[in-house]
Amino acid sequence: MNNIKLGVEVTAAHDLVPKDGEGSSSAYVELKFDDQRYRTSTKEKDLNPVWNEVFYFNISNPNNLPNLTLEAVVYSYNQSTNAKDFLGKVCISGSSFVTYPEASEFYFPLEKRHIFSRVKGELGLKVYYTNDPSNRLSMPPPVMESDHIQFSEGLEAGNEIPKSSSRESKSNTRHTFWHLPKQQDSAPKPQPQPQVTQHVSAAKSESQAPKVMQANPGIPGQAFEYKLRETSPMLGGGRVVGGRVIRSSYKPVSTYDLVEQMLFLFVRVVKARELPTKDLTGSLDPYVEVKVGNYKGVTKYFEKKKDPEWNEVFAFSRERLQASVLEVQVKDKDLMKDDFVGVIRFDLHEVPTRVPPDSPLAPQWYRLEDKKGDRSNNNGELMLAVWYGTQADEAFTDAWHSDAITPPDMSASAANHIRSKVYHSPRLWYLRVNVIEAQDLITSDKGRFPDCYIKAQLGAQTLRTKPVQSRMGNPFWNEDLMFVAAEPFDEHLIISIEDRIGQGKEETIGRVSIPLAAVRKRPDDKNFPTQWINLQKPSSSDTHEEEKKVKFASKLHARISLDGGYHVLNESTYYSSDLRPSMKQLWKSSIGVLELGILNADGLHPMKTRDGRGTADTFCVAKYCQKWVRTRTIIDSLSPKYNEQYTWEVYDPATVLTIGVFDNGHIAGNKDTKIGKVRVRISTLEAGRVYTHSYPLLVLQPSGLKKMGELHLAIRFSCTNMTNMMFLYGKPLLPKMHYSRPLSLMQTNTLRVHATNVLASRLSRAEPPLKKEVVEYMCDVDAHFWSMRRSKANFYRIISLLQGLIAIGKWFTDVCAWKNPVTTVLVHLLFVMLVCFPELILPTVFLYMFLIGLWNYRYRPKNPPHMDTRISYADNTIPDELDEEFDTFPTTKGTDVVRRRYDRLRSIGAKVQSVLGDFAAQGERAQALLSWRDPRASALFLTFCLFAAIILYAIPFNVMALLAGFYTMRHPRFRSKYPATPTNFFRRLPAKTDCLL
């Protein structure tokens, strides 16, 4: 017998539904766990019953505990009808069970059994597991059973009645419920209970053999260490169980509820005045040292200044404080030894606590003490503010943290890279330069016809038109050159006309510089008037005065505009986090709020060596829409705790949140190293549910797939406008400009590279900067490169889709072979019915799909999708394929001929890979219609199926066929140039591209 027991304490229930017709209920609770059932006593006529009863269950296999579920069902006993009415239930996963010292009472909201159940109220439970020998049921406790409940088979004290017993014994067998009353000093004397005869088989005195189950079963073939694991952390609002934050009766609910609240001692050093001089020269180089126990923070110092202003904040984790006194010392910076100026001491037990949205604590002037504690001397004054707060404090992001103490080898410039920051990426625009023609070109050689092309440059982007040779000196191009521009528009567009004189020789005929701030913004595809632009000679000055003196100049006919109706794709289209157009006036209202809690990371691999041991200095970056966030860097820790919460507005559910983990290399002057990445598609999240999972950080390296650790996140999507979100599924995925004036595939890929470079350039100029390697990893710049592994992965995705058709073909073959005569006869009858009544075909199909969708609702995914190593074909790839995937482009693996052939093969393979991926995505979207991967899309589709079935049953089939045929063959003038609503709906469905590495 196993010594580990599961203890369940049923305390009370609140606000139950009345069921007896008299405005009350007689409630009791049934507990089910690991094939064992217990029940409490019945509380007559009480909508707020109190039980305080304790039950203990045997755990057959402790290793299988995370896969077990405790079910507590509340019933109301109706004495008149001798029946029980359902009042609600609570299901608790075994992964959320804790040991006895950590257990506390929680009130769980009662859940419905089905959609028509009328349920409300809460049930108080305290659940824990223990191996205390006193909890073993060695002696039979008092029996609790009502005469109106009978079972044909049951369990007693962990023993199961054998199913092989005779029918007579089964008919007389009753399930016996045992309970242990809660020990109380003033507990009332228990009432005598009716004794029930127990039928226990001697052949089964021991519990059943444990079931062999795979923990957290997932896709077959994927290793357990690479799977997503659901967790039940204790957050600010309570413990998360089953996607809900369960509040504790002893802990108030907090608004900062997606992370574990951490208390910090904040010290704001503002300024000083009237500081005394310490040097012989009469100067003072002051700085402040804040010290709590072994932790110390230092401000910058000022040279020769007696009234310095620092305005710096220090944060010390309260759980790491090992002192009761805070010392704030003012010192004088010196070459040999810093001189002591004065000190202020605070008793930490008297420091006030500030809870937002309270106003910030006002700083005060404190007189400095000397080494003897005397304030009478003229030591100067220091303005300070000291308080306790949490991560919700406004000073948290700007503070120097005790868990990010500067190592001795960190430079002053690198110290800025350890703070948490929020970045707003610049809005990107497409700059369209429509070059039409040029006139009156003057070349240096009058005896030849110019062979001209237009060269346009914006920053690091340079584009050219095709060369045109004109006999009249008026070349005509009519070409569009597309650039990526970023706000604020402080750059200039430089356009020049180049004449090809010979091989490798070019001459500039004229040029012009146009500031982007003067370019017109265009919201749609309507053309506006063109303009003639005077070109300046390369030797002439660009000043306005010199331009006025020019009486004759070459001219360029062009149309230049900032197209704000497009969305600039700066990331892979599969993982886009934003689909809004560039022009803010075209934005729609938000449909919800996305909240992310970055909790902690576990089991990280050492990324560097410090003091002879492996360690890591990690931080997280999250990207969604135009908002990028960066957590503080946790120095020297392989299990960092971040506990930072961020919020985004959601404008489209078909978008992806990306979270990356990096090792801070700027501390030692190196690049940031990627550790792993997590993607979460918003459309796969249920509104209002809190998702708490441990995500494996997977990185593909030349040596193979490697797990770098696990990242614990808490995610919640709150919908603020359900109607608008449902209507979005029928609207185009991208802004209308992408369909009225579409860009070619080559243009899109080129502009994506330019957009990523512009974004990386702007974010790298922030403080602290987000470096280029971080931005490129978050934007998946290598997602479209050739890879044999990705091609195989897409091929096997297609094979997986075809398995369903193969199964149908095999089933039909079995029907034709009469392997199951009953099935074959039923198929014949169905075939005859559909042939005789063809109008039943479509409504039957829609009704069948509706029923399948309802059946699949109970098997809908409970967690967001994550990178799947089996789908990615990352665990079976060979070293040669990895060497090819990590090879540079172009390759350096051989001679020039081999290189050209190899590059050509990779280019062709990349196109085939994209086609295979798109084909697989279409099929996976079709599967997502009934799989509830996107719950809102499945609900819309099932509603459509139901109405379609009703309409097709009511309207004759031939009428519907005529209407469908005429609609399909309608005149082009009645067609819209934008995609149809079914096409838009289908394109918004999620595919398994989110699960690819």
Side-chain angles (χ1 to χ4, degrees):
M1 295 287 291
N2 213 316
N3 292 333
I4 299 181
K5 307 287 183 181
L6 178 68
V8 181
E9 180 178 333
V10 183
T11 56
H14 301 304
D15 197 21
L16 298 178
V17 176
K19 286 287 187 179
D20 58 358
E22 300 177 359
S24 184
S25 294
S26 299
Y28 66 92
V29 181
E30 280 191 10
L31 302 174
K32 304 174 185 179
F33 178 78
D34 201 7
D35 295 334
Q36 304 166 65
R37 295 188 179 185
Y38 295 153
R39 61 154 292 182
T40 66
S41 58
T42 303
K43 301 299 181 181
E44 302 288 343
K45 305 292 183 180
D46 193 354
L47 294 180
N48 299 287
V50 178
W51 288 283
N52 288 325
E53 299 179 8
V54 183
F55 302 86
Y56 287 95
F57 294 87
N58 290 320
I59 302 177
S60 58
N61 183 10
N63 296 328
N64 196 37
L65 184 61
N67 296 314
L68 300 178
T69 302
L70 171 66
E71 184 175 345
V73 187
V74 185
Y75 291 104
S76 175
Y77 174 54
N78 194 330
Q79 295 182 354
S80 60
T81 61
N82 198 26
K84 58 181 181 180
D85 297 320
F86 178 78
L87 297 181
K89 68 176 182 178
V90 172
C91 296
I92 306 175
S93 173
S95 60
S96 63
F97 297 161
V98 297
T99 57
Y100 178 76
E102 301 176 2
S104 58
E105 178 187 4
F106 289 95
Y107 282 89
F108 298 84
L110 294 175
E111 301 176 359
K112 296 181 178 181
R113 182 162 51 186
H114 50 76
I115 192 174
F116 300 106
S117 299
R118 189 166 65 95
V119 170
K120 68 174 183 177
E122 297 177 325
L123 178 63
L125 297 175
K126 183 178 180 180
V127 184
Y128 53 89
Y129 59 88
T130 178
N131 56 358
D132 189 352
S134 62
N135 294 331
R136 296 189 59 173
L137 304 181
S138 56
M139 297 181 61
V143 177
M144 288 297 299
E145 181 181 22
S146 297
D147 296 336
H148 64 278
I149 301 179
Q150 296 184 359
F151 294 87
S152 60
E153 49 184 336
L155 297 173
E156 298 178 320
N159 301 327
E160 183 183 9
I161 297 178
K163 297 182 180 180
S164 59
S165 58
S166 62
R167 182 170 300 182
E168 291 79 6
S169 64
K170 283 187 177 183
S171 61
N172 296 327
T173 301
R174 293 183 178 180
H175 188 85
T176 304
F177 297 98
W178 292 349
H179 85 288
L180 296 177
K182 186 177 180 181
Q183 300 296 330
Q184 296 181 356
D185 297 336
S186 58
K189 184 178 180 180
Q191 298 294 330
Q193 303 295 335
Q195 300 295 325
V196 181
T197 304
Q198 304 177 12
H199 301 269
V200 182
S201 172
K204 275 197 175 182
S205 59
E206 299 293 334
S207 61
Q208 280 188 324
K211 302 175 183 178
V212 179
M213 294 179 63
Q214 182 186 8
N216 192 16
I219 298 177
Q222 187 182 18
F224 173 73
E225 61 176 337
Y226 299 145
K227 294 179 182 177
L228 200 65
R229 293 190 300 107
E230 186 173 6
T231 59
S232 298
M234 180 67 74
L235 304 182
R239 183 174 294 278
V240 178
V241 178
R244 297 184 179 181
V245 179
I246 308 303
R247 64 180 179 86
S248 173
S249 57
Y250 306 107
K251 191 172 185 179
V253 178
S254 172
T255 56
Y256 207 69
D257 59 345
L258 285 189
V259 293
E260 178 185 352
Q261 284 195 352
M262 303 173 64
L263 279 178
F264 292 89
L265 172 66
F266 290 99
V267 181
R268 180 184 295 275
V269 181
V270 184
K271 57 184 177 180
R273 65 184 180 187
E274 300 177 0
L275 296 178
T277 59
K278 291 295 180 179
D279 295 337
L280 297 177
T281 60
S283 62
L284 180 70
D285 303 332
Y287 71 92
V288 177
E289 180 181 281
V290 182
K291 186 176 181 181
V292 184
N294 295 328
Y295 294 103
K296 181 176 64 175
V298 180
T299 68
K300 61 184 178 181
Y301 75 93
F302 292 92
E303 293 184 359
K304 300 179 181 180
K305 194 170 185 179
K306 296 184 179 180
D307 298 323
E309 293 187 10
W310 294 280
N311 198 22
E312 296 185 21
V313 183
F314 300 88
F316 301 88
S317 178
R318 187 172 183 178
E319 64 179 9
R320 298 185 180 183
L321 296 182
Q322 299 178 354
S324 59
V325 177
L326 165 67
E327 291 187 359
V328 182
Q329 298 184 14
V330 180
K331 293 186 176 181
D332 177 27
K333 187 73 174 178
D334 205 346
L335 294 177
M336 301 298 295
K337 183 180 180 181
D338 297 342
D339 296 327
F340 175 84
V341 177
V343 65
I344 302 174
R345 295 181 176 87
F346 295 89
D347 187 354
L348 296 183
H349 297 95
E350 299 179 358
V351 173
T353 301
R354 183 214 168 202
V355 179
D358 293 347
S359 299
L361 194 67
Q364 302 180 31
W365 286 105
Y366 295 89
R367 185 167 296 279
L368 296 173
E369 302 177 357
D370 57 13
K371 294 183 178 180
K372 299 179 180 179
D374 187 9
R375 298 183 182 177
S376 59
N377 297 329
N378 188 15
N379 295 324
E381 293 180 316
L382 184 64
M383 179 178 282
L384 292 174
V386 183
W387 73 96
Y388 283 117
T390 64
Q391 311 97 299
D393 202 293
E394 292 85 351
F396 178 80
T397 56
D398 296 327
W400 297 93
H401 292 268
S402 60
D403 52 4
I405 292 299
T406 305
D409 57 346
M410 182 189 293
S411 62
S413 60
N416 294 325
H417 293 76
I418 64 176
R419 293 185 179 182
S420 60
K421 285 295 180 182
V422 176
Y423 306 85
H424 282 275
S425 61
R427 270 195 295 164
L428 303 179
W429 294 66
Y430 283 147
L431 173 65
R432 185 188 298 270
V433 181
N434 179 222
V435 181
I436 302 175
E437 60 179 333
Q439 287 186 357
D440 302 329
L441 297 184
I442 302 176
T443 60
S444 58
D445 187 1
K446 305 294 184 180
R448 56 177 295 275
F449 298 112
D451 187 9
C452 302
Y453 65 90
I454 298 294
K455 177 183 176 182
Q457 183 176 359
L458 179 65
Q461 307 172 58
T462 303
L463 296 178
R464 301 176 180 180
T465 65
K466 64 178 182 293
V468 173
Q469 191 172 23
S470 174
R471 296 180 179 271
M472 304 298 296
N474 301 326
F476 182 84
W477 293 280
N478 195 20
E479 290 188 33
D480 281 347
L481 303 179
M482 298 287 290
F483 298 88
V484 176
E487 294 183 351
F489 301 121
D490 52 0
E491 295 180 321
H492 285 68
L493 172 66
I494 301 175
I495 302 177
S496 61
I497 299 182
E498 306 289 335
D499 181 18
R500 298 197 306 177
I501 300 176
Q503 185 69 25
K505 295 183 179 181
E506 297 173 347
E507 178 186 15
T508 302
I509 298 178
R511 64 187 298 272
V512 63
S513 179
I514 303 174
L516 288 185
V519 176
R520 179 175 176 179
K521 298 177 182 178
R522 185 171 61 168
D524 49 32
D525 60 340
K526 296 180 180 179
N527 289 327
F528 54 88
T530 59
Q531 56 181 330
W532 286 95
I533 305 172
N534 292 330
L535 299 178
Q536 302 172 5
K537 294 182 179 180
S539 59
S540 64
S541 175
D542 292 339
T543 61
H544 188 63
E545 290 75 10
E546 291 290 338
E547 188 175 344
K548 287 183 178 180
K549 296 179 182 179
V550 178
K551 297 181 180 180
F552 180 82
S554 301
K555 297 179 181 297
L556 177 66
H557 192 198
R559 181 185 291 111
I560 305 175
S561 62
L562 287 166
D563 290 352
Y566 288 100
H567 168 71
V568 180
L569 296 170
N570 61 341
E571 51 199 347
S572 174
T573 53
Y574 296 125
Y575 319 122
S576 293
S577 62
D578 192 7
L579 301 173
R580 294 172 295 171
S582 300
M583 185 168 285
K584 197 170 184 179
Q585 290 81 353
L586 301 178
W587 292 0
K588 305 296 182 181
S589 59
S590 64
I591 59 172
V593 175
L594 176 65
E595 299 169 274
L596 170 66
I598 304 177
L599 305 180
N600 62 289
D602 285 333
L604 296 180
H605 278 233
M607 305 301 295
K608 60 186 66 171
T609 302
R610 182 177 292 136
D611 298 333
R613 55 182 177 82
T615 185
D617 308 321
T618 59
F619 64 93
C620 298
V621 175
K623 171 186 70 71
Y624 187 76
C625 289
Q626 292 182 345
K627 181 179 177 181
W628 294 57
V629 299
R630 170 191 180 130
T631 67
R632 67 191 188 280
T633 300
I634 306 299
I635 303 296
D636 199 12
S637 176
L638 297 179
S639 298
K641 290 186 177 181
Y642 305 101
N643 284 310
E644 298 186 22
Q645 183 171 339
Y646 301 95
T647 305
W648 290 268
E649 285 188 334
V650 178
Y651 294 88
D652 198 305
T655 48
V656 176
L657 167 70
T658 304
I659 306 102
V661 184
F662 301 88
D663 177 73
N664 197 327
H666 291 277
I667 296 177
N670 301 320
K671 290 185 176 181
D672 295 333
T673 307
K674 61 183 181 182
I675 296 179
K677 180 166 45 183
V678 174
R679 303 190 197 101
V680 179
R681 184 170 288 272
I682 308 304
S683 61
T684 60
L685 304 178
E686 296 180 8
R689 179 180 176 183
V690 179
Y691 291 84
T692 54
H693 291 85
S694 175
Y695 294 82
L697 299 173
L698 306 177
V699 174
L700 195 63
Q701 299 178 347
S703 59
L705 182 66
K706 188 174 183 180
K707 180 181 177 182
M708 306 296 291
E710 293 185 353
L711 180 64
H712 296 259
L713 301 175
I715 304 172
R716 177 171 57 205
F717 169 61
S718 303
C719 180
T720 57
N721 196 326
M722 182 63 71
T723 303
N724 286 350
M725 182 167 61
M726 290 300 185
F727 277 123
L728 272 178
Y729 281 91
K731 294 183 179 180
L733 185 66
L734 294 172
K736 294 181 179 180
M737 279 284 286
H738 288 269
Y739 307 104
S740 60
R741 184 170 288 190
L743 302 175
S744 65
L745 180 61
M746 183 177 297
Q747 272 185 314
T748 303
N749 293 334
T750 303
L751 291 173
R752 180 186 295 110
V753 175
H754 292 329
T756 305
N757 292 334
V758 171
L759 185 63
S761 175
R762 290 297 182 93
L763 292 179
S764 63
R765 286 153 51 185
E767 187 65 33
L770 276 180
K771 290 300 183 179
K772 184 177 181 180
E773 59 269 18
V774 175
V775 176
E776 289 182 348
Y777 183 64
M778 296 293 291
C779 292
D780 292 284
V781 294
D782 59 346
H784 299 274
F785 289 173
W786 160 255
S787 167
M788 180 65 73
R789 176 189 60 84
R790 290 195 184 101
S791 298
K792 288 184 177 180
N794 291 330
F795 173 76
Y796 286 113
R797 288 167 61 194
I798 297 175
I799 295 299
S800 177
L801 290 174
L802 296 178
Q803 291 297 326
L805 298 177
I806 296 174
I808 294 176
K810 184 179 180 181
W811 171 81
F812 186 72
T813 303
D814 294 341
V815 169
C816 296
W818 287 79
K819 288 190 175 182
N820 191 334
V822 176
T823 303
T824 304
V825 171
L826 291 177
V827 170
H828 279 74
L829 292 177
L830 179 63
F831 177 73
V832 171
M833 181 187 69
L834 295 179
V835 170
C836 296
F837 305 98
E839 64 272 12
L840 298 180
I841 295 177
L842 286 179
T844 303
V845 170
F846 280 112
L847 184 61
Y848 182 66
M849 295 174 68
F850 174 75
L851 295 176
I852 291 179
L854 285 183
W855 178 261
N856 289 341
Y857 178 77
R858 59 187 298 183
Y859 305 109
R860 67 191 186 280
K862 301 296 184 181
N863 53 340
H866 185 54
M867 299 177 186
D868 195 305
T869 58
R870 186 69 217 132
I871 293 179
S872 304
Y873 208 72
D875 51 354
N876 291 329
T877 185
I878 61 178
D880 183 64
E881 294 176 355
L882 288 176
D883 181 68
E884 180 184 17
E885 182 170 351
F886 285 92
D887 186 19
T888 58
F889 190 87
T891 181
T892 57
K893 295 296 182 180
T895 62
D896 294 339
V897 175
V898 175
R899 185 180 298 113
R900 285 196 300 268
R901 293 177 179 176
Y902 187 61
D903 294 341
R904 187 184 305 117
L905 175 63
R906 294 174 72 182
S907 300
I908 296 174
K911 298 178 182 178
V912 176
Q913 168 188 316
S914 300
V915 172
L916 293 177
D918 293 339
F919 183 79
Q922 306 310 317
E924 289 165 354
R925 288 191 177 105
Q927 282 186 340
L929 286 172
L930 301 176
S931 64
W932 292 92
R933 170 55 66 191
D934 184 344
R936 288 164 289 274
S938 296
L940 285 174
F941 184 72
L942 293 185
T943 304
F944 167 76
C945 292
L946 179 61
F947 281 100
I950 296 174
I951 293 174
L952 292 174
Y953 274 121
I955 300 177
F957 178 78
N958 52 356
V959 176
M960 293 299 301
L962 287 174
L963 293 176
F966 286 135
Y967 180 79
T968 303
M969 296 180 289
R970 67 192 184 278
H971 194 272
R973 70 173 56 184
F974 299 108
R975 298 176 185 270
S976 173
K977 58 184 176 181
Y978 304 121
T981 297
T983 304
N984 298 328
F985 177 84
F986 187 78
R987 288 178 178 175
R988 289 182 178 277
L989 294 172
K992 292 184 180 179
T993 50
D994 304 337
C995 304
L996 288 176
L997 283 173

